[in-house]
Amino acid sequence: MAKTITLLESTRADHRARADALLNALLPHSGRSFRLGISGVPGVGKSTFIEALGLFLIARGHRVAVLAVDPSSTISGGSILGDKTRMEGLGMDERAYIRPSPSSGTLGGVAEKTRESMLVCEAAGFDIVIVETVGVGQSETAVQGMTDCFCLLQLPNAGDDLQAIKKGVMELADLVVINKADLDEAAATRARAQITSALRLFGLHGNPERSPGRPKRAPGGQGLGPDLSPRRHGVAGAGAADQRAQGPGAGSLLGRGGAFSRAADGQRPPRRAPPPAGPGLDVGTHRGRPAAAIQDPPGGAGRTAADHRRGSSGPPGAIGGRAPPARPDGLTEETNAMHDINEQLEAKRRAARLGGGQKRIDAQHAKGKLTARERLELLLDEGTFEEWDLFVEHRCADFGMADNKPPGDGVVTGYGMINGRLVFVFSQDFTVFGGALSETHAEKICKVMDQAMKVGAPVIGLNDSGGARIQEGVASLGGYADVFQRNVMASGVVPQISLIMGPCAGGAVYSPAMTDFIFMVKDSSYMFVTGPEVVKTVTHEEVTAEELGGATTHNTKSGVADLAFENDVEAILMLRRFFNYLPLNNKDKPPVRMSGDAAERLDLSLDTLVPDNPNKPYDIKELILKVVDDGDFFELQPDHAKNIVIGFGRMDGQGVGIVANNPLVLAGCLDIKSSIKAARFVRFCDAFNIPVVTFVDVPGFMPGTAQEYGGIIKHGAKLLYAYAECTVPKVTVITRKAYGGAYDVMSSKHLRGDVNFAWPNAEIAVMGAKGAVEIIFREDKGDPAKLAAREAEYKARFANPFVAGARGFIDDVIQPHETRKRICRSLAMLKDKKLENPWRKHGNIPL
């Protein structure tokens, strides 16, 4: 894209159209997401500019998302999404607004939050993402490489400097808009002179194809820079293309490209099928709601975004927004019969897609929840869902059930793609008998789980069920047991993920409990074995469902769940992002996603991360963000057992699991909860061939009667067992303390750690100097001077990593700033590692 410089004469509405037209001309209409960065100092009129531009684009059929990167931004007051009077008519599926907060004000934090928000927006199908930043500095540097077009707004008043504009033109912006509203003629003259000078300078030294420092783009808009968007890049390997990015008629099925074979001689000539009813999963008549309250643009400029998604502006009740085809005239009797059969089939499908009926669907929406089919539409790539058992009905004839047999029996099952990768899904439909599980309901779930194991693909369950269907008695209980058995057999074979999006009580909780990860939705999902009424009857405790088993409870206190999200949409979009880290099965390797973040990158700020005072805490997450690719880290259980951090990241494109002690909480000590949290994560990584990177700063196990009475001995052994059993590549970095048995437990060389590094200030010893001296020289307790001398002697002897290095327990002592480089090299060396444990049915982990 050649650099463009224009002069916007005013911020008044009649002049804003010039900028609208200019930017709209730059925006592609190919259907892929386009990223537009807009920057400028406060007061330059960005909010007005973005508001006008956003409304202009939405009216022409685009779905627009706006990200406000800088917390000082004024976008919330007058932006496209903040202006309630203009935007109240738009549905949430037609616009989005996310305000990512910079993490600790660091460049890596800004990049991480912005990229995460971009992924959410692009996974949701927004084809234009506007990123607003403030000033020309850190935020712009973080996001300019992620955008297709970076626009700089300047206000040339008396304080403007020509060099500043040149800097913006030459180093950052693709487009500079000079906004000279209400300025005198002298100011306008200066602005034109500045533009002329900048143009002349650019003509002499600039690159008309790309701004200096910006990554070039391959044909088709595929970025070669640090872009991890699931919509813009497929997973490496066959079938990796994101199906949402493909246009109609791409000719691929479940990631397999290629033309369809020609008809053999003697076959009927193929007839062109009518256009598809609409993109994605057909969710039935309840999606045929009125379009957003924006008038069509004059002169037939285009359809609304809602029309684009539905495929046409058909009447409400039409499938995918398209009315059922009328009977053709002049057909033969045979063709008429087939047409009647097709009409009957479509009628049955429409009835099945309505689930429990429009009234119950409206009730689901009134609670702020999506229906089962809407959830799958959002989760899976457009046009890839293949539904199974749409017409299955329950077999119960008691209690009047014989007259109430809705097709599908309360669960939608099948398979589809997430970013071009196969996944099997089931989504419980609360509009049908409250999502209660029956015998046939369970059979549908078991069928997709069995098939997932046959072909080696993950299983995702969207749970929204009132429990077992009481009208069926023991048959429904037997159905639960059948599902439980599949969970056990699939464990360690294919990844299993549960997304709790409503009630999940009684025996129903044990199926998610046996899956690998559990995500929940705040204020609308809960899990418990016995409900509040039973608790009150038996123990006389007054407790609400949210307090007993809500998302906050299970993400902070119990540790049952891994993450909690604000609503259904956020939960599903983050699940799509999370899916990108997982292999398809236990014989597969994690997907590789290369970026522009060099494996040899050094970060000198790490040299001062650890304080000089050994008792002063620091946040280990800063180290993680500065070491992984592009600062992109997906943390799990962030609010539970905060003294240890777990999650997924990438090192030189390779997915890794990360475990790290966090000195910011409980000094990084291991306790019961943190041991269980980390042990389960390490075992998952080992089961699915994901390398484990461990950052160690641990002063030992947490002392106290509560820990001992709670079984810290057995629970701490779980983490030791997990690391010792683990056969995937293991790289360990000791950043400061590694004391006592906790040193052994945290992936030490003695537990078959492959590569173990230590920073120069690392201390590897049985305990800290003060405690050690008080035990060794207890006879000198009354002499502080002697104790101080002994303590200095102990520090000189053990407060460094070289004693362990002399015995080969540490492979190398490295500078903190080269941590990323050394880890990436180690993982590259270990990529073909082969290690097997002795044959056995299974070990006996201390549960």
Side-chain angles (χ1 to χ4, degrees):
M1 179 189 302
K3 187 178 296 293
T4 305
I5 299 180
T6 186
L7 179 65
L8 178 61
E9 295 292 342
S10 173
T11 55
R12 297 197 306 270
D14 55 334
H15 291 152
R16 288 203 304 262
R18 290 182 57 187
D20 293 340
L22 175 66
L23 288 174
N24 190 50
L26 296 173
L27 300 178
H29 295 269
S30 60
R32 71 177 182 87
S33 179
F34 182 85
R35 296 174 176 179
L36 172 65
I38 296 181
S39 174
V41 296
V44 77
K46 292 188 306 299
S47 297
T48 305
F49 185 79
I50 294 173
E51 177 187 327
L53 175 63
L55 289 171
F56 176 88
L57 296 173
I58 287 176
R60 279 150 180 78
H62 293 283
R63 296 186 65 208
V64 181
V66 177
L67 311 181
V69 174
D70 195 291
S72 65
S73 167
T74 60
I75 191 171
S76 59
S79 75
I80 171 178
L81 303 171
D83 190 336
K84 300 298 182 185
T85 59
R86 287 175 176 255
M87 304 301 295
E88 62 185 3
L90 295 182
M92 280 300 296
D93 54 351
E94 289 163 335
R95 62 2 178 222
Y97 171 59
I98 301 174
R99 179 191 288 276
S101 301
S103 174
S104 304
T106 63
L107 183 62
V110 172
E112 178 211 6
K113 293 293 184 182
T114 304
R115 181 174 294 102
E116 179 177 304
S117 301
M118 282 182 174
L119 295 178
V120 170
C121 294
E122 296 188 354
F126 291 94
D127 60 330
I128 297 176
V129 179
I130 299 176
V131 185
E132 187 224 21
T133 61
V134 177
V136 182
Q138 189 179 67
S139 299
E140 285 70 13
T141 305
V143 304
Q144 59 92 13
M146 307 181 211
T147 54
D148 297 295
C149 177
F150 196 78
C151 175
L152 180 64
L153 273 68
Q154 290 288 345
L155 183 63
N157 53 29
D160 272 352
D161 181 76
L162 175 60
Q163 297 304 318
I165 291 185
K166 289 180 180 178
K167 176 180 174 60
V169 171
M170 297 303 298
E171 297 185 6
L172 290 176
D174 294 296
L175 171 69
V176 176
V177 177
I178 302 297
N179 175 6
K180 67 172 205 66
D182 304 322
L183 297 183
D184 56 26
E185 184 60 30
T189 301
R190 287 198 305 272
R192 291 189 179 92
Q194 290 169 342
I195 294 169
T196 303
S197 176
L199 274 171
R200 186 181 301 113
L201 184 63
F202 176 75
L204 292 175
H205 306 289
N207 179 359
E209 296 299 324
R210 199 68 188 164
S211 303
R214 296 286 302 280
K216 293 182 179 180
R217 304 190 70 83
Q222 293 299 316
L224 302 179
D227 184 355
L228 299 178
S229 164
R231 289 177 47 77
R232 299 156 74 89
H233 296 275
V235 179
D242 187 337
Q243 298 298 304
R244 293 190 177 193
Q246 296 186 8
S252 64
L253 175 63
L254 297 179
R256 297 193 302 270
F260 297 101
S261 58
R262 299 174 64 88
D265 294 338
Q267 284 186 313
R268 300 185 187 186
R271 297 175 58 194
R272 182 178 296 277
L281 174 67
D282 187 350
V283 294
T285 59
H286 61 280
R287 293 289 284 173
R289 55 184 175 79
I294 288 186
Q295 300 298 322
D296 289 337
R303 297 175 291 170
T304 65
D307 291 334
H308 277 281
R309 286 192 309 282
R310 287 190 289 266
S312 75
S313 55
I319 302 174
R322 190 179 298 278
R327 179 193 296 272
D329 295 328
L331 298 181
T332 64
E333 182 177 346
E334 177 184 355
T335 307
N336 276 326
M338 179 55 67
H339 191 274
D340 291 339
I341 293 173
N342 288 337
E343 284 187 331
Q344 294 172 20
L345 173 62
E346 286 304 318
K348 285 182 174 291
R349 285 179 172 169
R350 284 196 296 273
R353 289 168 183 143
L354 270 177
Q358 189 62 47
K359 183 177 180 180
R360 290 195 176 113
I361 290 171
D362 293 339
Q364 187 86 338
H365 290 164
K367 298 175 185 176
K369 298 166 62 176
L370 300 176
T371 66
R373 293 179 180 277
E374 288 170 335
R375 289 165 178 166
L376 291 181
E377 179 182 18
L378 194 57
L379 175 64
L380 301 174
D381 296 343
E382 289 183 3
T384 64
F385 181 63
E386 292 287 337
E387 183 171 356
W388 282 0
D389 296 332
L390 177 65
F391 305 114
V392 163
E393 298 175 348
H394 68 77
R395 307 184 189 101
C396 180
D398 299 322
F399 307 104
M401 294 290 287
D403 299 325
N404 187 9
K405 293 189 174 185
D409 199 29
V411 63
V412 182
T413 61
Y415 63 93
M417 310 290 283
I418 296 180
N419 298 321
R421 304 171 70 224
L422 179 64
V423 63
F424 285 80
V425 294
F426 66 86
S427 179
Q428 293 180 315
D429 189 350
F430 195 80
T431 69
V432 178
F433 301 125
L437 184 137
S438 68
E439 183 180 24
T440 53
H441 183 125
E443 288 173 354
K444 291 181 63 174
I445 296 175
C446 290
K447 180 187 284 188
V448 294
M449 294 184 71
D450 289 340
Q451 192 65 32
M453 291 185 64
K454 289 179 184 177
V455 303
V459 177
I460 296 178
L462 309 183
N463 296 77
D464 189 0
S465 169
R469 195 172 300 172
I470 57 177
Q471 293 92 335
E472 295 199 15
V474 70
S476 61
L477 297 181
Y480 268 130
D482 291 337
V483 175
F484 299 159
Q485 183 64 47
R486 266 68 176 190
N487 289 132
V488 173
M489 301 312 294
S491 180
V493 179
V494 296
Q496 301 177 78
I497 305 171
S498 296
L499 183 51
I500 313 300
M501 311 190 78
C504 185
V509 299
Y510 293 115
S511 176
M514 288 186 287
T515 60
D516 298 304
F517 300 100
I518 300 175
F519 300 153
M520 299 184 71
V521 180
K522 296 178 182 177
D523 301 323
S524 64
S525 66
Y526 54 82
M527 299 174 67
F528 41 65
V529 177
T530 54
E533 295 300 325
V534 177
V535 170
K536 182 179 179 181
T537 301
V538 176
T539 68
H540 307 291
E541 294 176 274
E542 295 277 356
V543 64
T544 65
E546 182 64 27
E547 294 169 339
L548 182 62
T552 301
T553 297
H554 286 312
N555 276 272
T556 57
K557 297 179 181 179
S558 70
V560 168
D562 294 282
L563 283 172
F565 301 104
E566 296 296 331
N567 51 56
D568 285 10
V569 174
E570 182 187 8
I572 292 173
L573 296 182
M574 293 306 290
L575 176 55
R576 279 181 60 90
R577 179 190 167 198
F578 176 72
F579 187 80
N580 294 331
Y581 290 99
L582 306 182
L584 295 181
N585 54 65
N586 60 357
K587 296 181 180 179
D588 192 19
K589 288 189 176 182
V592 175
R593 294 202 169 191
M594 302 308 296
S595 74
D597 196 351
E600 303 290 307
R601 171 172 58 82
L602 306 178
D603 194 324
L604 297 179
S605 67
L606 293 180
D607 291 340
T608 56
L609 175 66
V610 177
D612 294 332
N613 184 348
N615 297 320
K616 188 174 181 180
Y618 63 95
D619 192 353
I620 200 68
K621 293 182 186 178
E622 183 176 352
L623 168 61
I624 296 172
L625 292 174
K626 290 180 177 179
V627 166
V628 298
D629 289 358
D630 302 305
D632 188 16
F633 176 58
F634 195 102
E635 185 178 0
L636 296 167
Q637 294 188 302
D639 299 317
H640 175 72
K642 296 182 179 180
N643 46 323
I644 204 161
V645 177
I646 61 172
F648 293 107
R650 291 187 177 88
M651 302 293 293
D652 196 23
Q654 179 180 358
V656 297
I658 296 174
V659 180
N661 307 112
N662 194 358
L664 205 60
V665 181
L666 299 178
C669 282
L670 288 173
D671 60 359
I672 292 173
K673 291 183 177 180
S674 62
S675 297
I676 296 172
K677 171 182 172 180
R680 180 165 174 79
F681 180 74
V682 171
R683 285 173 65 82
F684 174 84
C685 292
D686 186 42
F688 291 101
N689 310 311
I690 302 174
V692 178
V693 176
T694 307
F695 296 107
V696 182
D697 188 348
V698 57
F701 283 91
M702 178 69 69
T705 57
Q707 292 294 311
E708 297 295 348
Y709 296 166
I712 183 64
I713 296 173
K714 180 165 286 190
H715 295 300
K718 292 177 181 177
L719 182 55
L720 188 155
Y721 191 103
Y723 269 121
E725 185 185 40
C726 183
T727 61
V728 298
K730 293 182 287 188
V731 179
T732 304
V733 180
I734 300 174
T735 62
R736 185 165 63 176
K737 299 175 183 177
Y739 289 163
Y743 155 72
D744 290 319
V745 169
M746 293 299 295
S747 192
S748 65
K749 203 73 173 175
H750 319 281
L751 299 185
R752 301 191 298 184
D754 295 298
V755 180
N756 290 61
F757 296 125
W759 285 4
N761 57 331
E763 304 176 20
I764 305 172
V766 175
M767 62 177 61
K770 189 175 186 302
V773 167
E774 289 177 352
I775 293 175
I776 298 173
F777 304 102
R778 65 185 63 181
E779 68 276 5
D780 296 329
K781 278 187 177 180
D783 191 340
K786 275 190 176 182
L787 284 179
R790 297 291 191 183
E791 187 174 336
E793 179 186 356
Y794 190 92
K795 285 182 177 179
R797 179 78 175 85
F798 292 108
N800 62 74
F802 301 107
V803 176
R807 302 185 66 90
F809 300 159
I810 296 297
D811 293 304
D812 197 4
V813 179
I814 64 174
Q815 293 291 341
H817 65 257
E818 61 178 1
T819 302
R820 170 178 168 82
K821 178 179 75 172
R822 300 300 294 273
I823 293 176
C824 288
R825 288 182 176 181
S826 299
L827 292 172
M829 177 269 293
L830 293 167
K831 67 182 179 66
D832 295 322
K833 171 188 174 183
K834 290 181 175 59
L835 176 65
E836 293 183 359
N837 292 323
W839 184 93
R840 56 187 171 183
K841 284 185 71 174
H842 57 76
N844 190 16
I845 185 172
L847 297 174

